[in-house]
Coordinates of all heavy atoms in Angstrom, one line a residue:
M13 N 0.8 -1.2 0.0 CA 0.0 0.0 0.0 C 0.9 1.2 0.0 O 1.7 1.4 0.9 CB -0.9 -0.1 1.3 CG -1.8 1.1 1.4 SD -3.1 0.6 2.6 CE -3.0 2.0 3.6
N14 N 0.7 2.1 -1.0 CA 1.5 3.3 -1.0 C 0.8 4.4 -0.2 O -0.4 4.6 -0.2 CB 1.6 3.8 -2.5 CG 2.4 2.9 -3.3 OD1 3.3 2.2 -2.8 ND2 2.2 2.9 -4.6
R15 N 1.7 5.1 0.5 CA 1.2 6.2 1.4 C 1.9 7.5 1.0 O 3.1 7.4 0.8 CB 1.4 5.9 2.8 CG 0.6 4.7 3.2 CD 0.5 4.6 4.7 NE -0.4 3.5 4.9 CZ -0.5 2.9 6.0 NH1 0.3 3.2 7.0 NH2 -1.3 1.9 6.2
T16 N 1.2 8.6 1.0 CA 1.9 9.8 0.7 C 2.4 10.5 2.0 O 3.3 11.3 2.0 CB 0.9 10.8 0.0 OG1 -0.3 11.0 0.8 CG2 0.5 10.3 -1.3
S17 N 1.9 10.1 3.2 CA 2.4 10.7 4.4 C 3.2 9.7 5.1 O 3.1 8.5 5.0 CB 1.2 11.1 5.3 OG 0.4 9.9 5.6
P18 N 4.2 10.2 5.9 CA 5.1 9.3 6.6 C 4.3 8.5 7.7 O 3.3 9.0 8.2 CB 6.1 10.2 7.2 CG 5.5 11.5 7.3 CD 4.5 11.6 6.1
S19 N 4.8 7.3 8.0 CA 4.1 6.5 9.0 C 4.4 7.1 10.4 O 5.4 7.8 10.6 CB 4.6 5.1 9.0 OG 6.0 5.0 9.3
G20 N 3.6 6.8 11.3 CA 3.8 7.3 12.7 C 3.8 6.2 13.6 O 3.5 5.0 13.3
P21 N 4.0 6.5 14.9 CA 4.0 5.4 15.9 C 2.6 4.8 16.2 O 1.7 5.6 16.2 CB 4.6 6.0 17.1 CG 4.4 7.5 17.0 CD 4.3 7.8 15.5
V22 N 2.6 3.5 16.3 CA 1.3 2.9 16.6 C 1.5 2.0 17.8 O 2.6 1.5 18.1 CB 0.8 2.0 15.4 CG1 0.4 2.9 14.3 CG2 1.8 1.0 15.0
G23 N 0.4 1.8 18.6 CA 0.5 0.9 19.7 C 0.3 -0.5 19.3 O -0.5 -0.8 18.4
V24 N 1.2 -1.4 19.8 CA 1.1 -2.9 19.5 C 1.2 -3.7 20.8 O 1.7 -3.3 21.8 CB 2.2 -3.3 18.5 CG1 2.0 -2.7 17.2 CG2 3.6 -2.9 19.1
I25 N 0.6 -4.9 20.7 CA 0.7 -5.9 21.7 C 1.3 -7.1 21.1 O 0.8 -7.6 20.0 CB -0.7 -6.2 22.3 CG1 -1.4 -5.0 22.8 CG2 -0.6 -7.3 23.3 CD1 -2.8 -5.1 23.2
L26 N 2.3 -7.7 21.7 CA 3.1 -8.8 21.2 C 2.8 -10.0 22.1 O 2.8 -9.9 23.3 CB 4.6 -8.5 21.2 CG 5.1 -7.6 20.1 CD1 4.7 -6.2 20.3 CD2 6.6 -7.8 20.0
S27 N 2.7 -11.2 21.4 CA 2.7 -12.4 22.1 C 4.1 -13.0 21.8 O 4.4 -13.2 20.6 CB 1.6 -13.3 21.6 OG 1.7 -14.6 22.2
V28 N 4.9 -13.4 22.8 CA 6.2 -13.9 22.6 C 6.5 -15.2 23.4 O 5.7 -15.5 24.2 CB 7.3 -12.8 23.0 CG1 7.0 -11.5 22.2 CG2 7.3 -12.6 24.5
D29 N 7.6 -15.8 23.0 CA 8.0 -17.1 23.7 C 8.3 -16.7 25.1 O 9.3 -16.1 25.4 CB 9.2 -17.7 22.9 CG 9.6 -19.0 23.5 OD1 9.2 -19.3 24.6 OD2 10.5 -19.6 22.9
P30 N 7.5 -17.2 26.1 CA 7.8 -16.9 27.5 C 9.1 -17.5 28.0 O 9.7 -16.9 28.9 CB 6.6 -17.4 28.3 CG 6.0 -18.4 27.4 CD 6.3 -18.0 26.0
D31 N 9.6 -18.5 27.4 CA 10.9 -19.2 27.8 C 12.1 -18.3 27.4 O 13.2 -18.5 28.0 CB 11.0 -20.6 27.3 CG 9.9 -21.5 27.8 OD1 9.5 -21.3 29.0 OD2 9.5 -22.4 27.1
R32 N 11.9 -17.5 26.5 CA 13.0 -16.6 26.0 C 12.6 -15.1 26.1 O 13.1 -14.3 25.3 CB 13.3 -17.0 24.5 CG 13.7 -18.4 24.3 CD 13.8 -18.8 22.8 NE 14.3 -17.7 22.0 CZ 13.9 -17.6 20.7 NH1 13.1 -18.4 20.2 NH2 14.4 -16.6 20.0
F33 N 11.8 -14.8 27.1 CA 11.2 -13.5 27.1 C 12.2 -12.4 27.1 O 12.1 -11.5 26.2 CB 10.3 -13.4 28.4 CG 9.5 -12.1 28.4 CD1 8.3 -12.1 27.8 CD2 9.9 -11.0 29.1 CE1 7.5 -11.0 27.8 CE2 9.1 -9.9 29.2 CZ 7.9 -9.8 28.5
A34 N 13.2 -12.4 27.9 CA 14.2 -11.3 28.0 C 14.9 -11.1 26.6 O 15.1 -10.0 26.1 CB 15.2 -11.5 29.1
E35 N 15.3 -12.2 26.0 CA 16.0 -12.2 24.7 C 15.1 -11.6 23.6 O 15.5 -10.8 22.8 CB 16.4 -13.7 24.4 CG 16.9 -13.9 23.0 CD 17.0 -15.4 22.7 OE1 17.0 -16.2 23.6 OE2 17.1 -15.6 21.5
V36 N 13.8 -12.0 23.6 CA 12.9 -11.5 22.6 C 12.6 -10.0 22.8 O 12.5 -9.3 21.8 CB 11.6 -12.4 22.6 CG1 10.6 -11.8 21.6 CG2 11.9 -13.8 22.3
V37 N 12.4 -9.6 24.0 CA 12.2 -8.2 24.3 C 13.4 -7.4 23.8 O 13.2 -6.3 23.2 CB 11.9 -8.0 25.8 CG1 11.9 -6.5 26.2 CG2 10.6 -8.6 26.3
A38 N 14.6 -7.8 24.1 CA 15.8 -7.1 23.6 C 15.8 -7.0 22.1 O 16.1 -5.9 21.5 CB 17.0 -7.8 24.2
A39 N 15.5 -8.1 21.4 CA 15.5 -8.1 20.0 C 14.3 -7.2 19.4 O 14.5 -6.5 18.4 CB 15.3 -9.5 19.4
A40 N 13.2 -7.2 20.1 CA 12.1 -6.3 19.7 C 12.5 -4.8 19.8 O 12.2 -4.0 19.0 CB 10.9 -6.6 20.5
R41 N 13.2 -4.5 20.9 CA 13.7 -3.1 21.1 C 14.7 -2.8 19.9 O 14.6 -1.7 19.4 CB 14.4 -3.0 22.4 CG 13.4 -2.9 23.6 CD 14.1 -2.6 24.9 NE 13.2 -2.2 25.9 CZ 13.0 -2.8 27.1 NH1 13.8 -3.8 27.4 NH2 12.1 -2.4 27.9
R42 N 15.5 -3.7 19.6 CA 16.5 -3.4 18.5 C 15.7 -3.2 17.1 O 16.2 -2.5 16.3 CB 17.5 -4.6 18.3 CG 18.5 -4.6 19.4 CD 19.7 -5.5 19.1 NE 19.3 -6.9 19.0 CZ 19.2 -7.8 20.0 NH1 19.4 -7.4 21.2 NH2 18.8 -9.0 19.8
A43 N 14.6 -3.9 17.0 CA 13.7 -3.7 15.8 C 13.0 -2.4 15.8 O 12.4 -2.0 14.8 CB 12.8 -4.9 15.7
G44 N 13.0 -1.7 16.9 CA 12.4 -0.3 17.0 C 11.2 -0.2 18.0 O 10.6 0.9 18.0
L45 N 10.9 -1.2 18.7 CA 9.8 -1.2 19.7 C 10.2 -0.4 20.9 O 11.3 -0.6 21.5 CB 9.4 -2.6 20.1 CG 8.2 -2.7 21.1 CD1 6.9 -2.3 20.4 CD2 8.1 -4.1 21.7
T46 N 9.4 0.5 21.3 CA 9.5 1.2 22.6 C 8.6 0.5 23.6 O 7.3 0.6 23.4 CB 9.1 2.7 22.5 OG1 10.0 3.3 21.6 CG2 9.2 3.4 23.9
V47 N 9.1 -0.3 24.5 CA 8.3 -1.1 25.4 C 7.6 -0.3 26.5 O 8.3 0.5 27.1 CB 9.2 -2.2 26.0 CG1 8.3 -3.1 27.0 CG2 9.8 -3.1 24.9
T48 N 6.3 -0.5 26.6 CA 5.6 0.3 27.7 C 5.1 -0.7 28.8 O 4.9 -0.2 29.9 CB 4.4 1.0 27.1 OG1 3.5 0.1 26.4 CG2 4.8 2.1 26.1
R49 N 5.0 -1.9 28.5 CA 4.5 -2.9 29.5 C 5.0 -4.3 29.2 O 5.0 -4.7 28.1 CB 3.0 -2.9 29.6 CG 2.5 -3.9 30.7 CD 1.0 -3.9 30.9 NE 0.6 -2.5 31.2 CZ -0.6 -2.1 31.2 NH1 -1.6 -2.9 30.9 NH2 -0.9 -0.9 31.6
E50 N 5.5 -5.0 30.2 CA 6.0 -6.3 30.1 C 5.3 -7.2 31.0 O 5.1 -6.9 32.2 CB 7.5 -6.4 30.4 CG 8.4 -5.6 29.5 CD 9.9 -5.8 29.9 OE1 10.3 -6.8 30.5 OE2 10.7 -4.9 29.5
Q51 N 4.8 -8.4 30.5 CA 4.2 -9.4 31.3 C 4.8 -10.7 31.0 O 4.3 -11.5 30.2 CB 2.7 -9.4 31.0 CG 1.9 -8.2 31.4 CD 0.5 -8.2 31.0 OE1 0.1 -8.6 29.9 NE2 -0.3 -7.6 31.9
D52 N 6.0 -10.9 31.6 CA 6.8 -12.1 31.3 C 6.2 -13.4 31.6 O 6.3 -14.4 30.8 CB 8.2 -12.0 32.0 CG 8.1 -11.9 33.5 OD1 7.1 -11.4 34.0 OD2 9.1 -12.2 34.1
V53 N 5.4 -13.5 32.6 CA 4.7 -14.8 32.9 C 3.7 -15.2 31.8 O 3.6 -16.3 31.5 CB 4.0 -14.7 34.3 CG1 3.2 -15.9 34.6 CG2 5.0 -14.5 35.4
L54 N 3.1 -14.2 31.3 CA 2.1 -14.4 30.2 C 2.7 -14.5 28.8 O 2.1 -14.9 27.8 CB 1.0 -13.3 30.2 CG 0.2 -13.2 31.5 CD1 -0.7 -12.0 31.4 CD2 -0.6 -14.5 31.7
G55 N 4.0 -14.0 28.7 CA 4.6 -14.0 27.4 C 4.0 -12.9 26.5 O 3.8 -13.0 25.3
S56 N 3.8 -11.7 27.2 CA 3.1 -10.6 26.5 C 3.8 -9.3 26.8 O 4.3 -9.1 27.9 CB 1.7 -10.6 26.9 OG 1.0 -9.4 26.4
L57 N 3.9 -8.4 25.8 CA 4.4 -7.1 26.0 C 3.7 -6.2 25.1 O 3.1 -6.6 24.1 CB 5.9 -7.0 25.9 CG 6.5 -7.2 24.5 CD1 7.7 -6.3 24.3 CD2 7.0 -8.7 24.4
S58 N 3.7 -4.9 25.5 CA 3.1 -3.9 24.6 C 4.1 -2.7 24.5 O 5.0 -2.6 25.3 CB 1.8 -3.4 25.2 OG 1.9 -2.9 26.5
G59 N 3.8 -1.9 23.5 CA 4.7 -0.8 23.2 C 4.2 0.0 22.0 O 3.1 -0.2 21.5
T60 N 5.1 0.9 21.6 CA 4.8 1.6 20.3 C 6.0 1.4 19.4 O 7.1 1.2 19.8 CB 4.7 3.1 20.6 OG1 5.8 3.6 21.3 CG2 3.5 3.4 21.5
I61 N 5.7 1.5 18.1 CA 6.7 1.3 17.0 C 6.2 2.1 15.8 O 5.0 2.3 15.6 CB 6.9 -0.2 16.7 CG1 8.1 -0.3 15.8 CG2 5.6 -0.8 16.1 CD1 8.6 -1.8 15.7
E62 N 7.1 2.6 15.0 CA 6.7 3.2 13.8 C 6.0 2.2 12.9 O 6.5 1.0 12.8 CB 8.0 3.8 13.0 CG 8.7 4.9 13.8 CD 7.8 6.2 13.8 OE1 7.1 6.5 12.9 OE2 7.8 6.8 14.9
E63 N 4.9 2.6 12.3 CA 4.1 1.7 11.5 C 4.9 0.9 10.4 O 4.7 -0.3 10.3 CB 3.0 2.4 10.9 CG 2.0 1.5 10.2 CD 0.7 2.2 9.9 OE1 0.6 3.4 10.0 OE2 -0.2 1.5 9.4
D64 N 5.9 1.6 9.8 CA 6.6 0.9 8.8 C 7.7 -0.1 9.3 O 8.3 -0.8 8.6 CB 7.3 1.9 7.8 CG 8.3 2.9 8.5 OD1 8.4 2.8 9.8 OD2 8.9 3.7 7.8
R65 N 7.8 -0.1 10.6 CA 8.7 -1.1 11.3 C 8.0 -2.4 11.7 O 8.7 -3.3 12.2 CB 9.5 -0.4 12.5 CG 10.3 0.7 12.1 CD 11.6 0.4 11.3 NE 12.4 -0.6 12.0 CZ 13.2 -1.5 11.5 NH1 13.3 -1.5 10.2 NH2 13.8 -2.4 12.2
I66 N 6.7 -2.4 11.6 CA 6.0 -3.6 12.1 C 6.5 -4.9 11.4 O 6.6 -5.9 12.1 CB 4.5 -3.4 12.0 CG1 4.0 -2.3 13.0 CG2 3.7 -4.7 12.2 CD1 2.5 -2.0 12.9
P67 N 6.7 -4.9 10.1 CA 7.2 -6.1 9.5 C 8.5 -6.6 10.1 O 8.7 -7.8 10.3 CB 7.4 -5.8 8.0 CG 6.4 -4.7 7.8 CD 6.4 -3.9 9.1
A68 N 9.4 -5.7 10.5 CA 10.7 -6.1 11.1 C 10.4 -6.7 12.5 O 11.1 -7.6 12.9 CB 11.6 -4.9 11.2
L69 N 9.4 -6.1 13.2 CA 9.0 -6.6 14.5 C 8.4 -8.0 14.4 O 8.8 -8.9 15.2 CB 8.1 -5.7 15.1 CG 7.7 -5.9 16.6 CD1 8.9 -5.9 17.5 CD2 6.7 -4.9 17.0
E70 N 7.6 -8.2 13.4 CA 7.0 -9.5 13.2 C 8.0 -10.6 12.8 O 7.8 -11.8 13.1 CB 5.9 -9.5 12.1 CG 4.7 -8.7 12.4 CD 3.8 -8.4 11.3 OE1 4.2 -8.2 10.1 OE2 2.6 -8.3 11.5
A71 N 9.1 -10.2 12.2 CA 10.2 -11.1 11.8 C 11.1 -11.5 13.0 O 12.0 -12.4 12.8 CB 11.0 -10.5 10.7
V72 N 11.0 -10.9 14.1 CA 11.9 -11.2 15.3 C 11.6 -12.6 15.7 O 10.5 -13.0 16.0 CB 11.7 -10.2 16.4 CG1 12.4 -10.6 17.7 CG2 12.1 -8.8 16.0
D73 N 12.7 -13.4 15.8 CA 12.6 -14.8 16.3 C 12.1 -14.8 17.7 O 12.6 -14.1 18.6 CB 14.0 -15.4 16.2 CG 13.9 -16.9 16.5 OD1 12.9 -17.6 16.2 OD2 14.9 -17.4 17.1
G74 N 11.0 -15.5 17.9 CA 10.4 -15.6 19.2 C 9.1 -14.8 19.4 O 8.4 -14.9 20.4
V75 N 8.9 -13.9 18.4 CA 7.6 -13.2 18.4 C 6.5 -14.0 17.7 O 6.7 -14.4 16.5 CB 7.7 -11.8 17.7 CG1 6.4 -11.2 17.5 CG2 8.7 -10.9 18.4
D76 N 5.5 -14.4 18.5 CA 4.4 -15.2 17.9 C 3.4 -14.4 17.1 O 2.9 -14.9 16.1 CB 3.8 -16.0 19.0 CG 4.7 -17.0 19.7 OD1 5.6 -17.5 19.0 OD2 4.5 -17.2 20.9
S77 N 3.1 -13.2 17.7 CA 2.1 -12.4 17.0 C 2.3 -10.9 17.4 O 2.8 -10.6 18.4 CB 0.7 -12.8 17.3 OG 0.3 -12.6 18.6
V78 N 1.9 -10.1 16.5 CA 1.9 -8.6 16.7 C 0.5 -8.1 16.3 O 0.0 -8.3 15.2 CB 2.9 -7.9 15.8 CG1 2.8 -6.4 16.0 CG2 4.3 -8.4 16.1
D79 N -0.2 -7.6 17.3 CA -1.5 -7.0 17.1 C -1.5 -5.5 17.4 O -0.9 -5.1 18.4 CB -2.6 -7.7 18.0 CG -2.7 -9.2 17.7 OD1 -3.0 -9.5 16.5 OD2 -2.4 -10.0 18.5
R80 N -2.3 -4.8 16.7 CA -2.5 -3.4 17.0 C -3.2 -3.2 18.3 O -4.2 -3.9 18.5 CB -3.2 -2.6 15.9 CG -2.3 -2.5 14.7 CD -3.1 -1.7 13.6 NE -2.2 -1.7 12.5 CZ -1.5 -0.6 12.1 NH1 -1.6 0.5 12.8 NH2 -0.8 -0.6 11.0
D81 N -2.8 -2.3 19.1 CA -3.5 -2.0 20.4 C -4.7 -1.1 20.0 O -4.5 -0.1 19.4 CB -2.5 -1.2 21.3 CG -3.1 -1.0 22.7 OD1 -4.1 -1.6 23.0 OD2 -2.5 -0.2 23.5
R82 N -5.9 -1.6 20.4 CA -7.1 -0.9 20.1 C -7.8 -0.5 21.4 O -7.9 -1.3 22.3 CB -8.0 -1.7 19.2 CG -7.3 -2.1 17.9 CD -8.3 -2.6 16.9 NE -7.7 -3.3 15.8 CZ -7.2 -2.6 14.7 NH1 -7.2 -1.3 14.7 NH2 -6.7 -3.3 13.7
T83 N -8.4 0.6 21.4 CA -9.2 1.0 22.6 C -10.7 0.8 22.2 O -11.2 1.3 21.2 CB -9.0 2.5 22.9 OG1 -7.6 2.7 23.2 CG2 -9.8 3.0 24.1
V84 N -11.4 0.1 23.0 CA -12.8 -0.1 22.8 C -13.6 0.7 23.9 O -13.3 0.6 25.1 CB -13.2 -1.6 23.0 CG1 -14.7 -1.8 22.9 CG2 -12.4 -2.4 21.9
R85 N -14.5 1.5 23.5 CA -15.3 2.3 24.4 C -16.7 1.9 24.3 O -17.3 1.8 23.2 CB -15.2 3.8 24.1 CG -13.7 4.2 24.2 CD -13.6 5.6 24.5 NE -12.1 5.8 24.8 CZ -11.5 6.8 24.4 NH1 -12.1 7.8 23.9 NH2 -10.2 7.0 24.7
L86 N -17.3 1.6 25.4 CA -18.7 1.2 25.5 C -19.5 2.4 26.0 O -19.1 3.2 26.8 CB -18.9 0.1 26.5 CG -18.2 -1.2 26.2 CD1 -18.4 -2.2 27.4 CD2 -18.7 -1.8 24.9
P87 N -20.8 2.5 25.5 CA -21.6 3.7 25.9 C -22.0 3.5 27.4 O -22.0 2.3 27.9 CB -22.8 3.6 25.0 CG -22.9 2.2 24.5 CD -21.4 1.7 24.5
P88 N -22.4 4.5 28.0 CA -22.8 4.4 29.4 C -24.1 3.5 29.5 O -24.8 3.4 28.5 CB -23.1 5.8 29.9 CG -23.0 6.7 28.7 CD -22.4 5.9 27.6
P89 N -24.3 2.9 30.6 CA -25.5 2.0 30.7 C -26.8 2.7 30.4 O -27.7 2.0 29.9 CB -25.5 1.6 32.2 CG -24.1 1.8 32.7 CD -23.5 3.0 31.8
D90 N -26.9 4.0 30.6 CA -28.2 4.6 30.3 C -28.3 5.2 28.9 O -29.3 5.9 28.6 CB -28.5 5.7 31.4 CG -27.4 6.8 31.4 OD1 -26.3 6.5 30.8 OD2 -27.6 7.8 32.0
A91 N -27.3 4.9 28.1 CA -27.4 5.4 26.7 C -28.5 4.7 25.9 O -28.8 3.5 26.2 CB -26.0 5.1 26.0
P92 N -29.1 5.4 25.0 CA -30.2 4.8 24.2 C -29.8 3.6 23.3 O -30.6 2.7 23.1 CB -30.8 5.9 23.4 CG -29.7 7.0 23.3 CD -28.9 6.8 24.6
I93 N -28.6 3.6 22.9 CA -28.1 2.5 22.0 C -26.9 1.8 22.7 O -26.0 2.4 23.2 CB -27.6 3.0 20.7 CG1 -28.8 3.7 19.9 CG2 -27.0 1.9 19.8 CD1 -28.4 4.3 18.6
Q94 N -27.0 0.5 22.8 CA -25.9 -0.3 23.5 C -25.5 -1.4 22.6 O -26.2 -2.0 21.9 CB -26.4 -0.8 24.8 CG -26.6 0.2 25.8 CD -26.8 -0.3 27.2 OE1 -26.8 -1.5 27.4 NE2 -27.1 0.5 28.2

C-alpha cells in the first residue's frame, strides 16, 4: 500500500515465547519497539513502534504475533443504544 504521508508510531501488543522473554524483548527493542509494559509470565508485552517497522518486528525470532493496540469504548449504561 502506497502512502503519501510518513508513518507514525502505533500501539502494538506482542505475544512472545515466555521461555526466551528477555531475549525476545531485547530483539524487539532493536527492531524499533519502545516497550511500555512487560508481562513475562504471560509472554506478552506492549509498546509503540513506527508503523513501517511492524514487518521487522513480526520477523523477530520468538515473536508469535503482533496485534495493534485498540481502545474499545462502551456507551454508558443509560445510553439509548448499546
